[in-house]
Structure formats: C-alpha cells, structure tokens
Amino acid sequence: MSAAAARRRKQLLARQKLQEDVDPIQAQLKKLLADEDGLKEEATAYEALQLAQSQVRKRVHSGDFKGAVDLAHQASLAILKQGRVSVASQLLTVMSTVLRETHLEETDDILAKIKELHDTFTTVMEGKTGDETFRLHRLQRDWLRRCVQWSSELGNIRFGHQDLQALLAQQSWIMVSTQADSMAKPNEEEDELMELKCDAVTHMALAEKPMEIIAWLKTLPAPTNKQTKSGHTCPPADRDALFTRAVLCLCAIENLRDAYTLVTAYINEVEERDTATLTKSYTSKDDGKAQSHAIFASMLLRTCEKDARTGPLFQWLLRSFKRELDGLYKAKIVQSYTTKIGKIYFNIQPPPSMLNMMENMMGMMGGGGGAGGMNPAMMQALASQMGNM
C-alpha cells in the first residue's frame, strides 16, 4: 500500500469513527445495550432491536459487511443475556441473513461468535418448559440451520463446519426433551419427536462425533419383543432406527472411520447381545426374530471395504433387510443414502428417476426398493469376516 493510499485509508477510518460518535441512533443504541437493567424490560429490548436492525442495514449498504455482523452479534448477545430471547431471535435472523446474502466468508471469528450466541441461549433457556419455550427452541434450531447452510455454501468443509453441525445436532436433541409437553395433538407430537431425533443423529454424524450419538442411544429403551419379532409391521425401535440411519449417513458421505467407531461402540456398549448371538439369530430362518440392525450395519461396512465387484452382495444385503429399512422414519430419505452408497462404492448407477434424489440425499425426495429373499451362503460369507467388529 502506497503512502497516499495509507493516508486516505486513515482519513476514511477517522471520518467513520467521527460519524459514529455523532450519529444519534448509534449513540442511543450504545446507551441501551450498556443498560443491563433496562434491557430486561420488553419495551427497551424492542427499542434496542429496532435501532440495531437499522444500524446493521446501514452498515450493509455501506459495504461494511463484517461490521454489520459484529454489531448484530454484539446487540443479540446483550439482549440474550438479559433473558429477552424472543427479541434476540429476530436479530439473530438478521445476522444469518447478512451472512448469506453478503457472501461473507467463513472465519474462525464468526464461528466463535455463533457459538457464543448459542451457548448464551442455552444458559438462559436452561430449566424452562412449556409451549413458549419450545417455540423459542425451534427458532434457535432454525437459526442454526441457516448458519450451517451459510457455512456449507461459503466455508471450506462439505455440508458445513463440524462445530456448527454439532451445535445444530445438540439443539435438536435438547428439543426432544422439551417437546413432550408442548404439542397438543399426539400424532403430530410423535412425528415431530422422531423428526427431531433423526435430525440430531444425522447432523451429529456430519459433525463426525459418533460417540455423542452413542451417548444419546444409551438413553433410549431397548427394542420390545413386538419390535424384534420376525415380520413385524410396527416401526423398528427408535434406538435401532436412529443407529442404522446414522451408519447409512456416514457411509454415504464416505466416512467409514466414524461408521466403524459407531458400529463397534453400539455392539459393545448399547446392544445387549454379543456378536455371536446376533449373527446366529440373523442367519436363522426359524427363530422368529427380525434381522438385527447391528449385524446389518457390520455387514454393510465389510461390504463397502471391498471393490465394485461385490455390488451384487450389497444389493442382496439391502433386499434381505428391506422390511426394516422400509419401516424407518421417512424411508425415502434412507433410500437416498443407500442409493448414494451403491454409486460410490459399487458403481451402481441409479435410474434417472432416482438421480436427483441421490444428489440431494439430505433432502426429502426418494423412491422405494425391490423385495428379495435371504441367501444363507452370502450371509455366512459375510458373517465369517466380522471377527474384528
């Protein structure tokens, strides 16, 4: 930078600082944010919100995108700390909008600001229950989703930064515990509860933290006799269903390392029966038990280790476990995972009708799979290779 350019830059910064010092709106906002007792009052918090929104827009229009984010963070944090979560949520939405619309690049500083805001939200909301609490948790979840989307679009990590994925996963799981008392209609409550659980394990898989998933699964009840009966028509137990969903997600994003960690920990720390018992039950046709999710996952990983010539073995494995997969929540999403796995590891090209769904496996589109019977010879060949699981 030339000496003239340096002087010009210094003059501009000095002029900007002078404008901020004499700007009555900026001065009033600083005064409100510094008044902790005043921010506890709803009227004062809303006044600070309106002034902050105005100043954030002003900075965006002037091209000071980082300054806009910094101000949104500062004001949101001050309002959150005084318990005005609903007011702060509106400013958080503005912050995420600025991040995405201005194409501001992901930095450690911005990630730290997002985490600080979420940690403050979690502290303020601790111990609260009821419909309003659940509404605020939902708003926070939606804000974190937008942050993850921003990170996915403008960051360096596919699907978004792992730290943001972990925050979103944790927020979804927290909502599971606050949801039961917040829904009036049982059917809607059950669907939303499972949706939250699926979101939690999926995003924690994307965060590459399989042991966090294991900790959650340990809190869920074991499958009932009805859920493990051969030919059962009810959905699989939540514990098994979430485990299988997470394994398929990890395989679909080519993270076999964490998939192995998850499967091994599930068998050793969650599943009550040992591998030999599970394998014997899986191969038995007359024990009256449904196929084990743990054994299916183990065989899937062993198959993915091999080359593309084992594609028929993978297809048989899916057919043999079809009833359980079809019983999972939003099975079409699960099928998008298996379609992606088939293409990545075995070069199995999806039909045209499945191509868009496979490329958008985190979305909601998909299709059904075909039926098929068990093949004991294939089963024994796979089971013999499971000694290290």
Side-chain angles (χ1 to χ4, degrees):
M1 179 183 297
S2 66
R7 286 195 301 271
R8 177 60 178 166
R9 182 173 182 273
K10 185 176 181 180
Q11 291 170 354
L12 288 174
L13 290 175
R15 183 181 303 173
Q16 181 180 359
K17 185 178 186 303
L18 179 62
Q19 289 174 346
E20 289 180 352
D21 290 339
V22 300
D23 186 340
I25 297 178
Q26 181 71 14
Q28 177 65 6
L29 177 59
K30 287 183 177 180
K31 179 181 177 181
L32 293 176
L33 295 181
D35 184 4
E36 296 182 358
D37 291 334
L39 283 178
K40 294 178 181 178
E41 300 296 328
E42 185 175 13
T44 304
Y46 269 107
E47 182 183 358
L49 166 66
Q50 293 170 350
L51 295 179
Q53 289 174 328
S54 171
Q55 291 298 297
V56 168
R57 287 193 296 268
K58 181 178 178 180
R59 294 190 181 191
V60 169
H61 291 158
S62 68
D64 184 11
F65 303 147
K66 184 179 183 303
V69 171
D70 290 344
L71 178 58
H73 163 262
Q74 177 191 2
S76 298
L77 189 63
I79 296 172
L80 269 176
K81 286 181 176 179
Q82 304 311 315
R84 287 297 169 184
V85 179
S86 182
V87 178
S89 68
Q90 298 179 53
L91 197 50
L92 291 178
T93 299
V94 172
M95 177 180 173
S96 61
T97 300
V98 171
L99 286 173
R100 296 189 64 187
E101 292 186 353
T102 63
H103 293 232
L104 201 59
E105 292 185 1
E106 177 186 285
T107 64
D108 291 341
D109 178 62
I110 296 178
L111 292 174
K113 283 180 167 60
I114 293 173
K115 185 178 186 306
E116 182 182 21
L117 287 168
H118 181 67
D119 288 346
T120 303
F121 168 87
T122 301
T123 300
V124 171
M125 296 297 293
E126 188 174 1
K128 296 183 179 180
T129 59
D131 291 350
E132 177 62 11
T133 295
F134 188 74
R135 184 185 74 84
L136 295 175
H137 275 293
R138 184 188 284 114
L139 290 174
Q140 184 72 1
R141 186 267 316 269
D142 294 343
W143 175 66
L144 288 171
R145 277 181 174 172
R146 288 189 289 270
C147 291
V148 168
Q149 184 64 33
W150 159 75
S151 175
S152 176
E153 294 170 351
L154 297 166
N156 298 319
I157 300 176
R158 186 175 58 154
F159 305 125
H161 198 282
Q162 290 94 334
D163 290 348
L164 296 183
Q165 292 284 3
L167 293 179
L168 178 53
Q170 291 162 359
Q171 177 63 18
S172 296
W173 196 261
I174 288 174
M175 291 176 68
V176 171
S177 62
T178 61
Q179 188 261 6
D181 297 329
S182 305
M183 299 295 293
K185 300 179 181 179
N187 290 337
E188 292 182 3
E189 176 181 333
E190 184 177 349
D191 287 344
E192 184 160 8
L193 185 63
M194 195 60 191
E195 179 89 29
L196 291 169
K197 291 177 180 178
C198 291
D199 282 350
V201 298
T202 299
H203 287 290
M204 195 57 81
L206 294 173
E208 301 181 2
K209 293 186 177 182
M211 295 310 297
E212 293 291 332
I213 299 175
I214 290 296
W216 290 340
L217 297 181
K218 287 179 179 180
T219 68
L220 300 177
T224 64
N225 290 333
K226 180 180 179 181
Q227 291 167 329
T228 57
K229 182 179 179 181
S230 178
H232 66 85
T233 57
C234 63
D238 286 358
R239 193 178 77 179
D240 284 344
L242 295 173
F243 162 72
T244 298
R245 196 180 207 92
V247 171
L248 290 173
C249 177
L250 287 167
C251 291
I253 63 174
E254 302 177 70
N255 186 357
L256 294 184
R257 177 201 63 192
D258 288 333
Y260 267 101
T261 299
L262 182 62
V263 172
T264 301
Y266 187 82
I267 291 176
N268 293 336
E269 301 180 25
V270 181
E271 179 61 62
E272 290 81 4
R273 298 167 293 176
D274 61 20
T275 303
T277 303
L278 292 171
T279 303
K280 182 178 179 180
S281 175
Y282 203 104
T283 58
S284 176
K285 290 185 177 181
D286 54 7
D287 70 345
K289 295 292 185 181
Q291 281 75 32
S292 163
H293 286 247
I295 296 302
F296 165 76
S298 299
M299 292 191 297
L300 174 65
L301 293 183
R302 290 303 187 192
T303 306
C304 289
E305 281 184 326
K306 303 181 183 300
D307 57 39
R309 291 176 295 178
T310 58
L313 193 59
F314 168 73
Q315 293 174 315
W316 164 81
L317 183 60
L318 294 184
R319 290 195 300 269
S320 71
F321 203 63
K322 181 180 184 300
R323 181 182 292 274
E324 295 295 312
L325 293 177
D326 287 349
L328 298 181
Y329 181 72
K330 292 189 176 179
K332 291 182 180 180
I333 296 178
V334 174
Q335 189 185 11
S336 72
Y337 293 156
T338 59
T339 301
K340 186 76 171 180
I341 293 169
K343 185 176 186 299
I344 292 173
Y345 299 96
F346 310 106
N347 199 29
I348 299 174
Q349 298 301 319
S353 60
M354 292 281 290
L355 186 59
N356 186 57
M357 179 197 68
M358 182 202 68
E359 295 301 332
N360 297 279
M361 66 178 183
M362 308 308 291
M364 303 301 295
M365 297 182 295
M374 288 288 293
N375 185 319
M378 288 184 174
M379 176 62 232
Q380 294 290 354
L382 277 173
S384 66
Q385 299 181 40
M386 291 171 50
N388 295 328
M389 295 300 297

